[in-house]
Amino acid sequence: MAFQKAIRGTALVGGGALATVLGLSHFAQYRRKQANLASVQAVDCFNIQLKELPSRETQLTSLQSNTEFDILVIGGGATGAGCALDAVTRGLRTALVERDDFSSGTSSRSTKLIHGGVRYLQKAIVNLDYEQYRMVKDALHERANLLEIAPHLSHALPIMLPIYKWWQLPYYWIGIKLYDLVAGANCLKSSYVLSKSRALEHFPMLQKDKLVGAIVYYDGQHNDARMNLAIALTAARYGAAIANYVEVKNLLKRKDPVSGKLQVCGARCMDMLTGCEFEVRAKCVINATGPFTDTLRKMDNQCTENICQPSAGVHIVMPGYYSPENMGLLDPATSDGRVIFFLPWEKMTIAGTTDSPTDITPHPIPSEEDINFILNEVRNYLSCDVEVRRGDVLAAWSGIRPLVTDPSSKDTQSISRNHVVDTSDSGLITIAGGKWTTYRAMAEDTIDVAVKNHNFKVGPSRTANLFLQGGKEWSPTMYIRLVQDYGLENEVAQHLASTYGDKAFEVAKIASVTGKRWPIVGIRLVSEFPYIEAEVKYGIKEYACTAVDIISRRTRLAFLNVQAAEEALPKIVDLMAKELNWCEERKKEELECATRFLYYEMGYKSRSEQLTDCSEISLQPSDIERYKKRFHMFDKEQKGFITIIDVQRVLESIDIQMDENTLHEILNEVDLNKNGLVELHEFLQLMSAVQKGMVSGSRLAILMKTAEENLGSRSSIPVDRSCGGF
């Protein structure tokens, strides 16, 4: 053991020396930054942004024109959108098509971090792996750039690494300091050490036993789906023809007059909303389809080998009280060797991720096994005073990470942690692998290859330091103007400013009048989240075509609380129907599709699995008698079930009025066999699940308990949905 520590220490010293030599390049970074700023000024001079986004119909018309594009990008995730932005700002005629919505895949299902990768640096130093070191260094450079070009969507986040063994303190301190050193001039803030008492002061939920202290370092955090959308919309404003819900049916090819080989020259596409098919011709076609990389490569050549090694990463969202508002947590070594992040995000708490092989699917589903794994790891780091309940999982999702093997490498079995740019015999350029943080560098490398392959007469990339939509005129105090000028709630104004940046005023202008003294405008979609009706209308301008687009990517409601998203769906569908002239049949389809999305992809399925008509009742006899007494307080006639009328009668006896629709919703949550009644065994199943932490926030359970405690008094009973866990 001592020998291993000595070896590890030697590796640290050697790796530290290497990082020092390679990391002290501040002057070169400064010169590069000045050059990038000059190129951004050139972009502003020669590429004029459109004041109004072209409509989706206008974009489709551009795609269907007979004009040949220079670049056709297939895939609207972060990398694909980045390629389109890089190409169009160089002056290339650019098109982009996406089969689903922008950021509908992996790019919206990340850990929400903009980071270099502490664990990759650790591996790079211990294994003296220069490739991983270079990847971390490049990612840290891109981290700084992304925080600069989209300040409204991103921010620096302190992340705590708790220490429970004395020997780990110098080990991790050196590693984290090297992380700062490798970042160089791009270091966000210097890391620091906390004593046990200070660590608990910053993170009071932390497990106290055997805690030695903690190390705090800084990484970036962002709203991933909105960031992806901002990249795509910025490309559109610079003149790129982009369209979501356009599927590539097959690639177009023509014989090269010089080589005589068939070369890719475009794609036959279909508008998924209308079924209309058309051809998009381009000199260069780029495959940026993430996990579906091999599908398009085989469309080009059936005999090509697969390079994608899909890995599923599951995340869960829990109530905000599980973590401090401005401090994350890193578990560097879980029970099976993985890394778990526990982070505040959008006033909730996000935990993840897992890393397990998976099949490629457009609709990944979070497994109960992965959800429970994350919960167990969270329990290990939180105080025993904090009961980590399965019922507090508000949402869960799975994202497919497209790890790749380099087709040009001799060792085709080795997975590349960096990105890979490959050109097929027919000229199809594939960009795969990499990570969210490095999307811009990946796009730059890809367009560089396209420029070289096709001899395009354009300059270098101009996207470094190029503001994304909403970022240029944003300021941290901009929300105050929204409150003062439009009469928005403070929370809503802050949300709009941090989501749309300087475009927030456009949303505020179309916000509906509330009819109240305050706020004057801004009707919420659901009471506990700051999303307003105007965002649905504005989302359509941002190419939202379905209700799922609104609840998951224009707003993040589905990722924060699936019950709240389900509650908002009817209103969202009605608003979209009015704007898009949907018929009743289309409205019904949208509701069904969005409900299915929440049920399977956002973890709502888990709710029904936690409480079913087959759920076991594991209560002590004394508890059963106590809950029977509570039940019979409502079931006066000893029928064995309670109805809306029974609940209304009890509430009226204590002078509480509640509308019938709300009561119906409350009882329906517990009516497991859906017969319109809540039977005694269903109530006992509910209380058993509540006791075990499998269900939380049950309105009926809270209502009946409060009624029992307050019967005879005149205190009010809260009926708003609690934290909404399932």
Side-chain angles (χ1 to χ4, degrees):
M1 189 67 180
F3 177 74
Q4 287 179 341
K5 289 182 182 178
I7 293 294
R8 193 174 287 169
T10 304
L12 274 171
V13 172
L18 176 65
T20 302
V21 172
L22 297 174
L24 295 176
S25 54
H26 297 184
F27 181 69
Q29 289 174 349
Y30 172 78
R31 292 294 299 273
R32 281 199 303 271
K33 189 168 185 177
Q34 295 306 306
N36 287 333
L37 285 170
S39 71
V40 169
Q41 291 172 355
V43 171
D44 289 338
C45 290
F46 297 107
N47 297 70
I48 300 174
Q49 288 196 54
L50 301 173
K51 289 185 178 180
E52 291 289 332
L53 271 176
S55 67
R56 184 174 181 273
E57 290 69 26
T58 302
Q59 297 283 36
L60 286 171
T61 301
S62 298
L63 289 171
Q64 295 174 40
S65 66
N66 294 323
T67 307
E68 184 181 44
F69 290 94
D70 294 320
I71 301 285
L72 168 61
V73 182
I74 302 173
T79 305
C83 286
L85 180 57
D86 192 288
V88 75
T89 51
R90 294 195 201 199
L92 296 170
R93 285 185 54 80
T94 305
L96 179 147
V97 294
E98 160 60 43
R99 179 178 62 181
D100 205 299
D101 186 26
F102 304 115
S103 193
S104 58
T106 308
S107 295
S108 63
R109 303 173 191 230
S110 72
T111 313
K112 323 303 179 193
L113 283 178
I114 311 170
H115 62 140
V118 173
R119 57 177 173 164
Y120 294 137
L121 181 60
Q122 180 189 29
K123 291 177 182 178
I125 293 172
V126 172
N127 301 325
L128 297 178
D129 185 336
Y130 178 71
E131 181 190 353
Q132 291 217 48
Y133 165 79
R134 185 170 57 85
M135 183 190 72
V136 173
K137 186 170 178 61
D138 291 345
L140 289 171
H141 172 73
E142 292 301 321
R143 177 190 69 178
N145 182 70
L146 195 50
L147 288 167
E148 184 177 332
I149 65 176
H152 58 302
L153 291 169
S154 59
H155 61 274
L157 176 71
I159 300 175
M160 181 181 290
L161 178 60
I163 306 296
Y164 288 92
K165 295 179 181 177
W166 279 108
W167 69 265
Q168 291 178 333
L169 191 58
Y171 175 74
Y172 284 124
W173 181 83
I174 293 172
I176 294 298
K177 279 300 175 185
L178 284 173
Y179 192 63
D180 291 347
L181 180 64
V182 173
N186 295 316
C187 181
L188 301 180
K189 291 182 182 179
S190 182
S191 58
Y192 55 91
V193 176
L194 290 174
S195 65
K196 177 179 178 178
S197 60
R198 291 284 289 163
L200 292 172
E201 184 180 326
H202 284 279
F203 208 117
M205 308 84 174
L206 205 58
Q207 173 64 261
K208 304 178 183 70
D209 295 343
K210 298 181 181 179
L211 181 67
V212 173
I215 300 170
V216 176
Y217 73 98
Y218 287 82
D219 256 325
Q221 189 178 53
H222 69 153
N223 185 335
D224 53 2
R226 291 295 316 185
M227 185 73 80
N228 190 159
L229 187 63
I231 300 166
L233 296 180
T234 305
R237 287 187 182 275
Y238 276 111
I242 68 171
N244 52 355
Y245 294 100
V246 173
E247 182 179 21
V248 171
K249 305 300 290 184
N250 59 269
L251 296 173
L252 304 177
K253 294 184 179 182
R254 65 185 171 204
K255 186 176 288 187
D256 184 86
V258 178
S259 65
K261 294 181 179 179
L262 288 176
Q263 296 291 298
V264 174
C265 63
R268 182 158 189 82
C269 303
M270 183 178 75
D271 182 350
M272 302 290 285
L273 302 181
T274 64
C276 173
E277 293 195 14
F278 54 92
E279 292 183 351
V280 180
R281 297 199 169 271
K283 296 171 185 174
C284 175
V285 178
I286 294 173
N287 172 13
T289 53
F292 302 95
T293 292
D294 289 323
T295 303
L296 202 67
R297 293 177 77 245
K298 288 184 180 296
M299 192 181 290
D300 175 41
N301 179 3
Q302 280 291 333
C303 299
T304 193
E305 293 290 328
N306 286 347
I307 63 171
C308 188
Q309 306 282 335
S311 172
V314 171
H315 295 82
I316 63 174
V317 167
M318 306 177 78
Y321 54 71
Y322 272 95
S323 66
E325 190 174 346
N326 292 305
M327 179 70 75
L329 185 75
L330 167 64
D331 177 357
T334 61
S335 55
D336 66 350
R338 309 183 209 181
V339 171
I340 290 287
F341 286 98
F342 193 62
L343 310 166
W345 182 67
E346 299 287 322
K347 298 188 177 180
M348 295 294 180
T349 301
I350 182 173
T353 180
T354 60
D355 187 3
S356 52
T358 185
D359 295 327
I360 295 174
T361 170
H363 306 293
I365 300 172
S367 71
E368 187 65 22
E369 180 184 356
D370 283 332
I371 291 172
N372 284 320
F373 167 79
I374 296 171
L375 287 172
N376 287 331
E377 293 302 323
V378 169
R379 287 188 186 101
N380 292 337
Y381 272 86
L382 294 190
S383 168
C384 57
D385 296 335
V386 180
E387 183 185 359
V388 180
R389 304 181 297 182
R390 175 62 181 82
D392 280 340
V393 177
L394 309 178
W397 67 85
S398 176
I400 300 177
R401 185 183 177 202
L403 302 175
V404 293
T405 55
D406 190 342
S408 62
S409 172
K410 292 180 181 178
D411 180 11
T412 56
Q413 297 304 309
S414 63
I415 293 177
S416 172
R417 293 292 173 180
N418 216 324
H419 61 272
V420 172
V421 182
D422 176 63
T423 305
S424 72
D425 292 339
S426 65
L428 176 69
I429 297 177
T430 294
I431 170 66
K435 53 194 295 185
W436 221 121
T437 306
T438 59
Y439 85 90
R440 194 207 63 81
M442 293 165 64
E444 179 179 343
D445 290 349
T446 306
I447 302 304
D448 282 347
V449 171
V451 168
K452 181 180 177 182
N453 290 356
H454 294 271
N455 197 29
F456 292 129
K457 304 300 182 184
V458 294
S461 174
R462 296 170 172 175
T463 52
N465 304 107
L466 178 69
F467 279 108
L468 299 182
Q469 173 171 297
K472 192 170 185 178
E473 303 297 330
W474 176 86
S475 73
T477 57
M478 194 186 79
Y479 75 94
I480 298 174
R481 286 177 55 201
L482 290 168
V483 175
Q484 293 176 338
D485 294 353
Y486 295 94
L488 288 162
E489 288 178 82
N490 188 60
E491 185 186 12
V492 171
Q494 288 181 325
H495 154 68
L496 293 181
S498 64
T499 301
Y500 303 95
D502 57 32
K503 303 296 180 187
F505 297 99
E506 296 181 11
V507 184
K509 286 176 184 176
I510 60 173
S512 302
V513 176
T514 63
K516 302 176 182 178
R517 183 184 62 80
W518 190 263
I520 299 170
V521 301
I523 300 174
R524 295 193 182 211
L525 292 171
V526 283
S527 60
E528 65 265 51
F529 289 93
Y531 302 113
I532 60 174
E533 292 181 357
E535 292 182 79
V536 179
K537 300 174 186 176
Y538 194 77
I540 294 170
K541 293 183 179 181
E542 295 180 324
Y543 306 130
C545 300
T546 69
V548 172
D549 298 344
I550 295 293
I551 62 173
S552 59
R553 292 174 287 274
R554 303 311 182 278
T555 72
R556 305 312 308 275
L557 201 49
F559 282 79
L560 295 171
N561 190 317
V562 289
Q563 286 183 291
E566 184 189 45
E567 199 174 285
L569 266 178
K571 183 183 289 188
I572 289 171
V573 170
D574 285 341
L575 289 166
M576 294 189 77
K578 187 176 180 180
E579 295 293 317
L580 298 172
N581 298 316
W582 287 348
C583 63
E584 288 300 318
E585 184 63 28
R586 175 65 190 275
K587 287 171 64 176
K588 183 181 177 183
E589 289 175 4
E590 286 294 326
L591 276 171
E592 290 174 353
C593 181
T595 302
R596 193 161 54 246
F597 168 78
L598 293 173
Y599 186 76
Y600 289 106
E601 296 184 52
M602 289 292 108
Y604 211 167
K605 181 174 182 287
S606 301
R607 177 179 185 269
S608 60
E609 291 174 348
Q610 301 310 311
L611 182 63
T612 69
D613 54 3
C614 298
S615 294
E616 180 184 354
I617 300 174
S618 53
L619 294 169
Q620 296 293 326
S622 58
D623 289 331
I624 292 177
E625 288 305 314
R626 179 160 54 92
Y627 293 136
K628 279 185 177 179
K629 181 181 177 182
R630 185 177 298 171
F631 184 85
H632 289 140
M633 186 181 69
F634 286 77
D635 179 23
K636 290 289 187 184
E637 293 84 10
Q638 304 286 309
K639 306 183 297 295
F641 60 83
I642 58 175
T643 64
I644 289 177
I645 295 173
D646 294 323
V647 177
Q648 280 179 327
R649 184 180 63 245
V650 174
L651 295 181
E652 286 173 2
S653 70
I654 53 176
D655 296 334
I656 297 296
Q657 300 296 323
M658 195 180 302
D659 68 88
E660 193 169 325
N661 288 335
T662 302
L663 282 174
H664 178 75
E665 288 176 9
I666 291 173
L667 265 65
N668 193 51
E669 292 173 0
V670 190
D671 180 14
L672 303 178
N673 56 17
K674 303 304 177 188
N675 62 355
L677 311 168
V678 174
E679 297 165 9
L680 176 59
H681 73 274
E682 290 176 324
F683 179 66
L684 293 177
Q685 285 172 321
L686 167 66
M687 298 315 299
S688 178
V690 168
Q691 266 200 11
K692 290 187 290 186
M694 306 305 289
V695 171
S696 66
S698 167
R699 290 188 281 180
L700 182 65
I702 295 171
L703 178 74
M704 293 179 73
K705 180 184 178 184
T706 311
E708 181 183 53
E709 292 173 349
N710 292 278
L711 196 62
S713 70
R714 289 294 184 265
S715 58
S716 63
I717 300 174
V719 295
D720 287 342
R721 179 163 23 82
S722 179
C723 62
F726 52 86

